[in-house]
Amino acid sequence: MASAKLLAAFLAALLAAAGGAGARELKLELPSAETILDDGMPLIHMLRPLLGSGGRLGLRARVPCDSWRFAVETNSVRDWRTIPARCERYVGNYMMGGHYRSDSRAVVDEAIAYAEGLQLAGDGKEVWVFDVDETTLSNLPYYAKHGFGVEPYNRTLFTAYVMEASAPALPETKRLYDRLLELGIKPVILTGRREDKREATAKNLAAAGYAGYEKLLLKPQDVRVHAVEFKSGERRKLEDAGYVIVGNIGDQWSDLLGAPEGGRTFKLPDPMYYIG
Amino acid sequence: MASAKLLAAFLAALLAAAGGAGARELKLELPSAETILDDGMPLIHMLRPLLGSGGRLGLRARVPCDSWRFAVETNSVRDWRTIPARCERYVGNYMMGGHYRSDSRAVVDEAIAYAEGLQLAGDGKEVWVFDVDETTLSNLPYYAKHGFGVEPYNRTLFTAYVMEASAPALPETKRLYDRLLELGIKPVILTGRREDKREATAKNLAAAGYAGYEKLLLKPQDVRVHAVEFKSGERRKLEDAGYVIVGNIGDQWSDLLGAPEGGRTFKLPDPMYYIG
């Protein structure tokens, strides 16, 4: 029941956001709440590769959007600032139409199966590292209003959104989080958000139902450090303090690469933005 | 023209293999050579998520095959021995219908763009590491006869196939290989195949058009070592010998993880088997 309520909240946030994005004329095929809740799995929309739609503009322009997504999700394409303009509708459909949720579910199912199969010491030192944006929390209400990554990152607007502390939980991640608490594995939240967003982040996590985590680690305010360096450094500190990182989940490869990675890594989908 | 010839050879091998697999009644929708060669890009088949086809067998059985593939390709699902039985037709269509080729093309386009943008020293020490199976060479003629990974690995049969030295080049990898030679970046072939397959591997690489590589590194015959340890160790030796690994391409995460990874990594698709 809790998960149905969570899903309803997630959907409500998305539908409200999509309504606000109406002027963009994206014509997204939004699933109804009924469709999604009926069998617990949202409708999967067919992909529409935009093959040839851009004409013969060279190889890179001819790559279908789903193959661009493959290359992005496997960390072959890096350091991109926006999604390809021709892929806005594709990414919008992916994010809103259920495919995103289905991919997230496959990853979380595996994470839960892995956690349930662990031989735990139960000494209170076993932790699981969670990223925040597009992992514990979903910023889809924001990105649905901003072209799903087709607009360049706008620090002012995004910061204002973060300060609202209104982001819904990504329901799949919440399911993993709750199961880990049951198993006695403590969540550690590790985010590239900076310290000036600690209060808003803690408030948002609480509102989205995340309670009982061991630590909330944010990036120091004025330190210039890349995500891999910052996050692997924080994981090193955890291990030096006697914690055992049994798992690590995030939407960016910079959440997951760099020793110590954790006992297993789980990559959630995110075709909207890149953090290196 | 060379690439058209290469593509024709690749297709001929696949079509012959698919003919031999007729008894499996997979009803794969094979593209004709004409379809593929017409505009240089094979037809992309729509995915058919097998949503609900297995009934309510629990969450894991309800994951659509394309979401299973997402979790596999992002290294979240590991240590699997066969593809899910219900995904045989999905993986067959993915591999044979052009989606595999399109995903490979997206990765290689990015690899070439990256290589072309490098400031090269041109001292003959800049190398690019290539894996063999499902990277330089395609074993699709073999896997098309063996259920695209639904059958457990059969060492005897696969070894016999390797000894034939008949595998076609994966055309996208060959395109990268040729471009790197033009740029003065030397290919190093690094494979988990063992030394007793050196002759067959070298013969097959030559027959598939791979000439002029700097080294062909195989796993020692009797050493027990996991792929990540072996391959990262060999890359370390290359760097210790003064080489600079500017890029690294493979179909398995065990080709790409473990320091030193190389300046950039490129993950080719492979939903047929896992090597850890």
Side-chain angles (χ1 to χ4, degrees):
Chain A
M1 292 309 98
S3 84
K5 198 170 156 188
L6 185 71
L7 187 58
F10 182 78
L11 280 174
L14 292 193
L15 293 169
R24 299 194 62 88
E25 295 182 0
L26 277 177
K27 296 180 185 166
L28 296 175
E29 294 159 20
L30 293 174
S32 66
E34 192 183 349
T35 308
I36 295 191
L37 293 172
D38 186 38
D39 67 355
M41 169 63 86
L43 181 68
I44 306 301
H45 287 258
M46 291 296 114
L47 305 184
R48 294 179 200 75
L50 300 183
L51 180 58
S53 66
R56 286 190 170 270
L57 300 174
L59 282 173
R60 306 198 69 181
R62 285 199 290 139
V63 168
C65 293
D66 63 340
S67 290
W68 170 80
R69 183 170 64 87
F70 173 86
V72 158
E73 292 289 17
T74 53
N75 207 26
S76 296
V77 172
R78 302 184 188 179
D79 298 315
W80 46 283
R81 288 169 187 274
T82 62
I83 66 171
R86 67 199 162 82
C87 297
E88 178 178 356
R89 188 156 184 272
Y90 166 81
V91 174
N93 271 300
Y94 173 82
M95 294 302 298
M96 304 291 275
H99 198 164
Y100 170 61
R101 298 288 306 283
S102 170
D103 286 356
S104 302
R105 176 174 295 196
V107 173
V108 163
D109 283 357
E110 182 71 11
I112 290 176
Y114 159 73
E116 290 176 343
L118 286 171
Q119 299 276 345
L120 294 168
D123 57 1
K125 285 296 194 180
E126 290 155 327
V127 298
W128 191 291
V129 174
F130 287 78
D131 172 50
V132 171
D133 296 298
E134 269 49 70
T135 301
T136 49
L137 300 179
S138 170
N139 301 315
L140 203 37
Y142 177 87
Y143 284 98
K145 288 181 181 167
H146 294 278
F148 300 101
V150 81
E151 294 178 11
Y153 175 69
N154 184 315
R155 184 189 301 267
T156 307
L157 290 178
F158 188 69
T159 298
Y161 171 79
V162 165
M163 290 306 187
E164 285 176 16
S166 64
L170 185 63
E172 286 73 26
T173 307
K174 183 62 165 54
R175 181 162 58 89
L176 170 63
Y177 185 97
D178 291 345
R179 185 70 184 117
L180 294 177
L181 285 178
E182 287 173 359
L183 292 170
I185 300 171
K186 295 181 174 174
V188 167
I189 317 283
L190 173 57
T191 174
R193 292 184 178 191
R194 293 191 186 264
E195 282 290 350
D196 62 352
K197 299 185 186 70
R198 176 177 289 276
E199 193 183 327
T201 302
K203 184 180 166 190
N204 199 154
L205 286 169
Y210 293 99
Y213 46 78
E214 180 79 355
K215 289 173 184 287
L216 169 57
L217 303 171
L218 297 95
K219 203 188 268 192
Q221 199 58 35
D222 299 312
V223 172
R224 286 194 176 195
V225 57
H226 285 291
V228 168
E229 191 182 341
F230 167 64
K231 293 199 164 184
S232 61
E234 292 299 311
R235 289 193 299 272
R236 175 68 68 198
K237 287 183 202 168
L238 287 170
E239 292 205 344
D240 289 348
Y243 289 105
V244 176
I245 303 170
V246 298
N248 179 10
I249 188 165
D251 64 301
Q252 301 285 326
W253 280 102
S254 54
D255 297 328
L256 308 178
L257 296 176
E261 294 85 359
R264 276 274 293 267
T265 62
F266 297 91
K267 168 72 176 74
L268 288 167
D270 187 353
M272 300 190 299
Y273 58 84
Y274 176 89
I275 298 175
Chain B
M1 292 308 99
S3 84
K5 198 171 155 189
L6 186 71
L7 187 58
F10 182 77
L11 281 173
L14 292 191
L15 294 170
R24 299 194 64 88
E25 294 181 1
L26 278 176
K27 295 178 186 167
L28 297 174
E29 294 159 19
L30 293 176
S32 67
E34 192 182 350
T35 307
I36 295 191
L37 293 172
D38 186 38
D39 67 357
M41 169 65 87
L43 182 69
I44 306 300
H45 287 257
M46 291 294 117
L47 305 185
R48 295 178 198 76
L50 300 183
L51 180 58
S53 65
R56 288 190 168 272
L57 299 174
L59 283 173
R60 306 200 69 184
R62 285 198 291 138
V63 169
C65 293
D66 63 340
S67 291
W68 170 81
R69 183 170 65 88
F70 174 86
V72 158
E73 292 288 17
T74 55
N75 207 25
S76 296
V77 171
R78 302 183 189 179
D79 297 315
W80 45 282
R81 288 170 187 273
T82 62
I83 66 171
R86 67 199 162 79
C87 296
E88 178 178 357
R89 188 158 182 271
Y90 167 81
V91 174
N93 271 300
Y94 173 82
M95 294 302 298
M96 304 290 276
H99 198 164
Y100 169 61
R101 297 288 305 283
S102 170
D103 286 356
S104 301
R105 177 173 297 197
V107 172
V108 163
D109 283 357
E110 181 71 11
I112 289 176
Y114 160 73
E116 289 176 343
L118 286 173
Q119 300 276 344
L120 293 169
D123 58 0
K125 285 298 195 180
E126 290 155 326
V127 298
W128 191 292
V129 174
F130 288 78
D131 172 50
V132 170
D133 294 298
E134 269 50 70
T135 302
T136 48
L137 300 179
S138 170
N139 301 314
L140 202 38
Y142 176 86
Y143 283 99
K145 288 182 182 168
H146 294 277
F148 300 101
V150 81
E151 294 178 11
Y153 175 69
N154 184 316
R155 184 190 301 267
T156 307
L157 289 179
F158 188 68
T159 298
Y161 171 79
V162 165
M163 290 306 186
E164 285 176 16
S166 63
L170 185 63
E172 287 71 26
T173 306
K174 182 63 166 52
R175 182 162 57 91
L176 170 63
Y177 185 96
D178 291 344
R179 185 71 184 117
L180 294 177
L181 285 179
E182 287 172 0
L183 293 170
I185 300 170
K186 296 182 175 176
V188 168
I189 316 284
L190 173 56
T191 175
R193 291 183 178 191
R194 294 191 186 264
E195 283 289 350
D196 62 352
K197 298 185 186 69
R198 176 177 289 276
E199 191 183 330
T201 302
K203 183 181 167 191
N204 199 156
L205 287 169
Y210 293 99
Y213 45 78
E214 180 78 356
K215 288 171 185 287
L216 170 58
L217 304 170
L218 296 96
K219 203 188 268 191
Q221 198 59 34
D222 299 313
V223 172
R224 286 194 177 196
V225 56
H226 284 292
V228 168
E229 190 183 343
F230 167 64
K231 292 199 164 184
S232 62
E234 292 299 310
R235 290 193 299 271
R236 175 68 68 200
K237 287 184 203 168
L238 287 170
E239 293 206 343
D240 290 347
Y243 289 104
V244 176
I245 303 170
V246 299
N248 179 9
I249 189 165
D251 64 301
Q252 300 286 325
W253 280 101
S254 54
D255 298 327
L256 308 176
L257 297 176
E261 295 84 0
R264 276 273 293 268
T265 62
F266 297 90
K267 168 72 175 77
L268 288 168
D270 187 353
M272 301 190 298
Y273 58 86
Y274 176 89
I275 298 175

